[in-house]
Amino acid sequence: MGKRLLLVEGKDDEQVVKHLCRAHGIEDRFLIEQPRQVDGLLGGDEGGVERLLDQVPIRLRESDVERLAVILDADTDAQHRWVQLRERLRRAGIPAVPDKPEDMSIVIDFRNRIGDPVRLGVWIMPDNRLPGMLENFLMFLVPEGDKLLAHVDRFLTGIPLVDRPFSDSASSKARMHAFLAVQEKPGKPLGLAITFCYLDAKREYVRPFLDWLQAVLVN
Amino acid sequence: MLTSLEIKNFRTFKHLRIERLGQVNLILGKNNVGKTTLLEALQLYGSRWPARTALDILEGRGEIGGTNRPGAVVNLRSLFHGRQAEPGTQSSIGPATNGDGSRVFQVAKIEEDVDYDKALTAGQQPAFSLVPQFAVEYRFGSDPVSTWTILPSRRVHSFMAGPLSSADMTTNPKPPLLRLTSAASMLNETAVRWDSLALTTGEQDVVGLLQTIAPIQGVRYIETAMGRVAIVQIEGKTDPIPLMSQGEGTVHVFQIAVAMVHTAMAWKKVAERDQFPNMFPGLLIDEFEVGVHHTLHADLWRFVLKAARELGVQVFATTHSWDCVRGFAAAVQDVPQCDALAIRLERSRDRSAAVSFTPEEMKIVVREEIEVR
């Protein structure tokens, strides 16, 4: 069997996928890779998107790769993110790259140089349509009947703009981490929060994502 | 320069097409995908004397041997894919763009059942060298067909068409295409090649190339109890010192420099370029990593890239080593506008394919530790 690879932007994405798979009994017989950190001290994902986009056409030519799944953040525009990747794929001569994703997710089947089938899947967080990132996706996993989030939101909106250091684009990140900061065991990282049930892996919203993941990497 | 390559029905390859070749090509791939066979195909394509080259290749692989023994069977079948060879079977090697530019080998005749021992004891005509066992014709484009025939008593007899006589084969043994195999035999070959550069501008070219890595001002070979040994003159030193003492990296650079300069000079002397459009100045290196310390790869590649450009020599090197890949990637970033490619050969069932990576892509390959071998 060939190599099955999942490319993500950072450690959080990797952990979320692992814990979601565990919660649903999905065997993760695939490798998860993220862009190597150029400066170990930074520790963040600075420039991670570009480095991830750039390596997709090359990963498709990695030795023995038969399945490649890519999870990207939409950030401000899911369509723009897709176009960025699409152009790189077309430049690399990958056939049958669609103009725009018709469905929620993207799955492309083609044959590599030696004639073996390769499947490429792309998921743009949170749902291939909305702007946002991993944390926006996770917001939908807040358990039904949760009472904490309202308190968290009151706290966040209570911060006067002049004192608020984070930008609008980071507000879902602040919201999710603030939410996890006030759980029974405060400050669990994003993936572990699923296993601790602070985030509900069984919510309906997760289904399309897991279907996509299984179609690309498992089935 | 060969800018693309198509191989049909040759040894491992039923069909291999490489759309683009660089001036410097690093050939990657798993065992048995045909890395060595690719070098053999290039060797045969660029050879002026394919009959001899074909036998050298098969002997080098240990596939034939003892060919001087009367009655020895030389099997040329393995030159053809799947060892399937019938009269009329063809293999071809050439640029992917132009079928006419290919070198074609075709089985003309097979007589493998001749019992030479019986023929000898029966006191028959001892000149059984006239009995062909396996005849292969080769042609280049629309050139007249030449035939080589494997004979039981002599290794090979070649009926040359065109301007070359078989005497040329021995008196002019300087092909513009060289293959470097193992480090051990390279030492002797390097000495012979160095001799052939004696008192030519090639000598200065080699020293000039060496100076990019060490303050070496001159090289001589001297006779010692251990055989011929290269000594070098170092800037600011009164006495010469053995080249070996400069470290393995320098020895490697010297060997490659001599081979490249030798190739470039041999190419200049090729008078019949029009008649042999298949010939090109090339250097084929098996297992580039052998004998190279992992810290030296980048330096060695930088050297090869620059020398290839300066001398106009095309380089094909195979490797299994990640250190070699990393060194290559680092070097192609440092040498601006170098025409280099990493090419992985793949094989699945009976299919072969080539997957290429540009210098820009190699940068990402190494940064992200992507497995391309």
Side-chain angles (χ1 to χ4, degrees):
Chain A
M1 200 175 85
K3 206 185 286 177
R4 296 178 177 212
L5 262 182
L6 169 62
L7 279 184
V8 295
E9 284 185 41
K11 197 84 197 150
D12 283 339
D13 307 81
E14 175 178 347
Q15 288 302 311
V16 164
V17 170
K18 280 187 169 166
H19 285 272
L20 276 178
C21 284
R22 182 189 292 178
H24 286 266
I26 298 168
E27 262 190 278
D28 55 348
R29 281 181 307 179
F30 48 85
L31 291 166
I32 305 182
E33 293 275 0
Q34 46 183 299
R36 299 286 189 274
Q37 283 176 13
V38 178
D39 181 350
L41 288 175
L42 267 178
D45 300 337
E46 303 310 315
V49 181
E50 290 292 323
R51 294 210 304 276
L52 186 92
L53 288 167
D54 285 343
Q55 63 175 285
V56 174
I58 300 170
R59 288 283 184 188
L60 286 169
R61 281 175 281 155
E62 178 165 350
S63 308
D64 303 321
V65 160
E66 60 167 15
R67 302 288 185 91
L68 179 68
V70 184
I71 300 175
L72 291 155
D73 285 341
D75 293 329
T76 52
D77 185 349
Q79 181 63 19
H80 173 67
R81 189 64 86 219
W82 167 241
V83 169
Q84 282 182 306
L85 180 57
R86 189 191 68 194
E87 291 316 302
R88 284 166 169 82
L89 293 171
R90 285 183 179 170
R91 269 203 301 276
I94 307 297
V97 184
D99 264 343
K100 65 180 174 66
E102 289 166 13
D103 305 306
M104 295 277 283
S105 55
I106 299 147
V107 179
I108 302 169
D109 285 302
F110 62 97
R111 290 190 179 266
N112 63 15
R113 294 303 292 263
I114 195 78
D116 289 334
V118 177
R119 178 169 289 177
L120 166 69
V122 183
W123 182 277
I124 299 171
M125 285 287 176
D127 67 349
N128 299 299
R129 278 185 306 118
L130 295 171
M133 52 179 82
L134 174 71
E135 284 80 0
N136 297 78
F137 172 81
L138 293 175
M139 286 317 301
F140 293 105
L141 274 60
V142 170
E144 259 182 330
D146 168 81
K147 296 201 175 74
L148 273 174
L149 192 60
H151 295 288
V152 169
D153 284 342
R154 268 198 295 283
F155 157 70
L156 286 172
T157 48
I159 302 173
L161 272 182
V162 63
D163 292 337
R164 202 183 79 172
F166 58 85
S167 64
D168 279 348
S169 61
S171 62
S172 67
K173 216 171 203 147
R175 193 175 178 219
M176 178 47 66
H177 285 281
F179 175 70
L180 295 178
V182 291
Q183 300 294 328
E184 185 187 349
K185 287 188 168 43
K188 286 289 167 213
L190 301 179
L192 214 51
I194 294 168
T195 297
F196 273 74
C197 298
Y198 305 150
L199 295 170
D200 182 0
K202 298 289 155 77
R203 293 207 65 172
E204 209 35 42
Y205 196 83
V206 184
R207 204 63 252 173
F209 175 73
L210 289 179
D211 288 346
W212 166 84
L213 191 75
Q214 283 183 286
V216 179
L217 291 176
V218 183
N219 297 339
Chain B
M1 195 173 107
L2 197 56
T3 53
S4 64
L5 183 66
E6 186 160 24
I7 303 173
K8 287 178 189 162
N9 203 36
F10 176 70
R11 291 168 73 72
T12 311
F13 303 122
K14 190 175 183 186
H15 183 202
L16 173 72
R17 198 180 156 92
I18 305 179
E19 306 292 337
R20 196 164 88 78
L21 295 172
Q23 184 166 49
V24 175
N25 304 276
L26 178 59
I27 310 296
L28 308 165
K30 299 198 178 85
N31 286 327
N32 296 321
V33 295
K35 295 191 294 299
T36 304
T37 308
L38 178 74
L39 298 190
E40 290 168 350
L42 290 165
Q43 208 180 349
L44 213 43
Y45 169 75
S47 171
R48 203 154 152 186
W49 309 289
R52 192 177 70 174
T53 305
L55 286 186
D56 286 348
I57 286 170
L58 295 180
E59 270 192 355
R61 287 272 195 135
E63 291 184 29
I64 57 172
T67 47
N68 292 320
R69 190 166 54 82
V73 173
V74 175
N75 197 342
L76 291 186
R77 283 180 191 280
S78 61
L79 286 177
F80 300 91
H81 180 70
R83 294 172 194 269
Q84 297 293 311
E86 301 301 329
T89 303
Q90 283 190 352
S91 65
S92 72
I93 303 162
T97 44
N98 175 8
D100 290 343
S102 294
R103 178 155 248 175
V104 178
F105 301 88
Q106 178 171 316
V107 180
K109 189 176 184 183
I110 305 174
E111 284 180 28
E112 286 174 302
D113 296 332
V114 180
D115 189 335
Y116 297 98
D117 287 339
K118 200 181 264 179
L120 271 175
T121 48
Q124 286 174 0
Q125 235 263 42
F128 45 69
S129 60
L130 292 174
V131 182
Q133 274 201 2
F134 197 113
V136 177
E137 296 170 352
Y138 58 96
R139 63 174 182 272
F140 182 77
S142 53
D143 273 9
V145 169
S146 309
T147 306
W148 93 76
T149 307
I150 303 301
L151 303 171
S153 64
R154 294 170 56 200
R155 281 176 34 135
V156 60
H157 189 85
S158 192
F159 300 99
M160 294 272 186
L164 283 173
S165 70
S166 50
D168 287 329
M169 272 174 65
T170 44
T171 56
N172 192 1
K174 273 192 215 162
L177 185 68
L178 280 182
R179 176 138 172 232
L180 304 182
T181 47
S182 72
S185 68
M186 238 161 89
L187 281 173
N188 296 327
E189 289 166 9
T190 299
V192 174
R193 283 177 200 133
W194 176 253
D195 286 347
S196 78
L197 299 177
L199 301 179
T200 67
T201 52
E203 244 187 37
Q204 292 135 42
D205 289 342
V206 171
V207 173
L209 289 169
L210 281 175
Q211 281 169 351
T212 60
I213 57 146
I216 289 171
Q217 292 186 313
V219 184
R220 290 282 184 283
Y221 268 91
I222 54 164
E223 203 63 39
T224 71
M226 289 136 60
R228 301 189 69 209
V229 169
I231 55 170
V232 292
Q233 183 184 22
I234 301 285
E235 197 183 320
K237 296 268 168 69
T238 347
D239 293 324
I241 57 168
L243 174 69
M244 287 291 218
S245 70
Q246 290 293 290
E248 249 175 329
T250 310
V251 174
H252 232 82
V253 167
F254 178 66
Q255 289 172 327
I256 292 173
V258 169
M260 285 176 98
V261 171
H262 185 279
T263 298
M265 293 200 66
W267 175 240
K268 276 186 201 152
K269 288 181 193 155
V270 175
E272 323 88 342
R273 288 189 197 176
D274 293 346
Q275 285 157 31
F276 298 94
N278 57 310
M279 293 216 290
F280 65 100
L283 185 64
L284 313 173
I285 308 175
D286 283 275
E287 299 178 353
F288 190 87
E289 73 273 18
V290 172
V292 181
H293 189 260
H294 69 93
T295 55
L296 288 173
H297 279 289
D299 286 341
L300 204 49
W301 276 117
R302 269 189 284 271
F303 164 77
V304 169
L305 289 165
K306 282 181 194 150
R309 192 161 60 184
E310 275 170 32
L311 299 167
V313 172
Q314 196 170 13
V315 178
F316 296 84
T318 67
T319 191
H320 281 130
S321 144
W322 178 251
D323 291 323
C324 181
V325 171
R326 202 165 44 194
F328 178 79
V332 294
Q333 309 307 318
D334 296 345
V335 179
Q337 274 138 39
C338 63
D339 180 14
L341 285 175
I343 300 170
R344 179 177 70 237
L345 297 184
E346 294 186 349
R347 194 176 173 203
S348 171
R349 297 168 297 277
D350 221 4
R351 302 172 72 125
S352 293
V355 176
S356 301
F357 300 90
T358 63
E360 198 50 40
E361 291 174 329
M362 287 306 289
K363 190 167 141 185
I364 298 170
V365 162
V366 170
R367 187 183 69 204
E368 306 293 347
E369 293 171 45
I370 298 172
E371 183 57 89
V372 291
R373 289 172 298 170

